[in-house]
Amino acid sequence: MRARTRLALGAVGAVAAAGILAGCGDAGSSGTEAPAAGASGPGCAPVAGSELIVLEDDKALQNTDNIIPAINAKAANPEMIAALNKVSAALDTSKLIALNRAVDIERKTPRVVAEEFATANNLTAGIPASQSGSLVVGVANFSESQTLGELYRIVLTAAGYEVRVQQIGNRELYEPALEKGEIQVVPEYAATLAEFLNGKVNGANPPEISSPDLAKTTEGLRTVGEQSGLAFGEPSPAQNQNAFAVTRDFADKYGVRTLSELAEKCSGQATVLGGPPECPQRPKCQVGLADVYGFQAGSFSSLDPGGPLTKGALNQGEISVGLVFSSDGAIATS
């Protein structure tokens, strides 16, 4: 779905940080690292399968990366925010997965997928066409952001604006453009943007303002956003954050549906964790699994950040559990 590593891996202030802490081999390496210290049990060997499911983060390792509309403060008004909030309210993670599946797997365009979703969910109902003028919705260079941008275009057009969607690139490019008013709206991720702005406003390595609590994350985001000339709509229930996936066949064989169950039943030599090269050093990846859940993999396979290498290794039975993005179109929702 994208070529980026979620900031929630633990590198505060970074956006596309793949390889920053490449202590475990190059991305795409098919080998595995030596067994982790403390992985003394038998573990759970990989099980191939065509369906991937996300294990529940029942102890809240990850911070709340809910979708949220970010708006240039000078352009924002209550009518615009109300229209954007219609998108937030219409989405949850399962629906976001379905949108991504339609684009990334079924190969529809983001514009077509957004229009189909808007029609099916009566997204523009009740939006008064009371506004005028031109707006630019900026989007990042991955399909989910583009689909969300098209949804924003639909509701803002219904509100009376003349709207254009413009792909800009990564956050280092589009966030300054949003502050300056060169673009007016961007679909964003609450925890990731909070820490990005936290680093800009409060300097290098400030205390985290995002958390597993969405209200706290949103409060922190609004605080640093105000200092950056940004306003925000309401966060959506839909999230795109780091998650750990297994095949459905693996989950059924070993009886695991949560990360606590994975730690209890699968810590040990046969268990292979897969993810980006920096995962073993990151507090939201292997370090966090050990610290929060007590999970110890027998070995680590250096792959990619939630991309085709990791998903392929799960499908083919090369790794037991892999780091993915929670809204990936390949994730099964039932």
Side-chain angles (χ1 to χ4, degrees), residues 28-123:
S29 154
S30 60
T32 56
E33 299 297 327
S40 57
C44 299
V47 179
S50 58
E51 277 195 303
L52 302 183
I53 64 171
V54 164
L55 297 177
E56 180 189 350
D57 182 12
D58 53 309
K59 292 184 179 179
L61 167 62
Q62 306 298 340
N63 290 346
T64 44
D65 246 345
N66 297 60
I67 309 298
I68 190 168
I71 311 159
N72 175 271
K74 292 181 179 178
N77 62 55
E79 292 76 18
M80 177 193 294
I81 292 173
L84 293 167
N85 286 344
K86 293 271 288 185
V87 177
S88 293
L91 288 172
D92 59 24
T93 303
S94 293
K95 290 178 180 178
L96 188 58
I97 289 170
L99 291 174
N100 289 328
R101 183 181 298 121
V103 175
D104 299 328
I105 297 175
E106 298 170 13
R107 312 312 297 173
K108 296 181 181 181
T109 67
R111 187 182 185 97
V112 166
V113 169
E115 288 172 347
E116 291 176 346
F117 181 87
T119 299
N121 291 273
N122 207 14
L123 200 57

Side-chain angles (χ1 to χ4, degrees), residues 8-11 61 279 281-289 291-292:
L9 279 170
L61 167 62
C279 176
Q281 290 85 32
R282 294 298 174 86
K284 300 298 182 181
C285 203
Q286 189 169 8
V287 172
L289 287 174
D291 290 348
V292 174

Side-chain angles (χ1 to χ4, degrees), residues 81-312:
I81 292 173
L84 293 167
N85 286 344
K86 293 271 288 185
V87 177
S88 293
L91 288 172
D92 59 24
T93 303
S94 293
K95 290 178 180 178
L96 188 58
I97 289 170
L99 291 174
N100 289 328
R101 183 181 298 121
V103 175
D104 299 328
I105 297 175
E106 298 170 13
R107 312 312 297 173
K108 296 181 181 181
T109 67
R111 187 182 185 97
V112 166
V113 169
E115 288 172 347
E116 291 176 346
F117 181 87
T119 299
N121 291 273
N122 207 14
L123 200 57
T124 59
I127 299 178
S130 59
Q131 303 302 298
S132 61
S134 299
L135 294 177
V136 179
V137 175
V139 297
N141 54 354
F142 58 94
S143 60
E144 180 176 284
S145 181
Q146 293 156 22
T147 303
L148 291 167
E150 293 292 347
L151 289 171
Y152 288 177
R153 173 188 61 80
I154 290 168
V155 295
L156 291 171
T157 299
Y161 292 105
E162 207 173 290
V163 187
R164 176 168 57 93
V165 177
Q166 180 179 344
Q167 180 176 320
I168 296 176
N170 62 25
R171 188 171 285 105
E172 286 91 348
L173 294 175
Y174 68 68
E175 192 279 332
L178 185 63
E179 286 190 22
K180 294 173 185 175
E182 296 169 353
I183 57 178
Q184 286 73 50
V185 181
V186 174
E188 262 292 2
Y189 301 88
T192 301
L193 182 60
E195 297 307 336
F196 180 88
L197 295 176
N198 190 21
K200 289 185 68 174
V201 170
N202 296 315
N205 302 314
E208 281 195 359
I209 58 173
S210 62
S211 83
D213 184 305
L214 179 58
K216 292 181 180 178
T217 296
T218 305
E219 180 183 3
L221 174 60
R222 293 190 192 281
T223 298
V224 290
E226 184 177 357
Q227 297 174 71
S228 304
L230 302 183
F232 301 94
E234 290 300 316
S236 172
Q239 295 181 326
N240 181 351
Q241 58 197 41
N242 289 343
F244 293 93
V246 298
T247 64
R248 189 179 295 279
D249 292 330
F250 178 99
D252 290 343
K253 178 177 179 178
Y254 296 112
V256 297
R257 288 295 186 275
T258 69
L259 289 176
S260 289
E261 290 172 341
L262 179 76
E264 177 187 354
K265 299 178 181 182
C266 293
S267 290
Q269 297 294 317
T271 305
V272 183
L273 172 65
E278 62 270 23
C279 176
Q281 290 85 32
R282 294 298 174 86
K284 300 298 182 181
C285 203
Q286 189 169 8
V287 172
L289 287 174
D291 290 348
V292 174
Y293 287 98
F295 170 73
Q296 296 288 347
S299 58
F300 176 77
S301 182
S302 180
L303 298 164
D304 58 8
L309 295 177
T310 299
K311 290 180 284 186

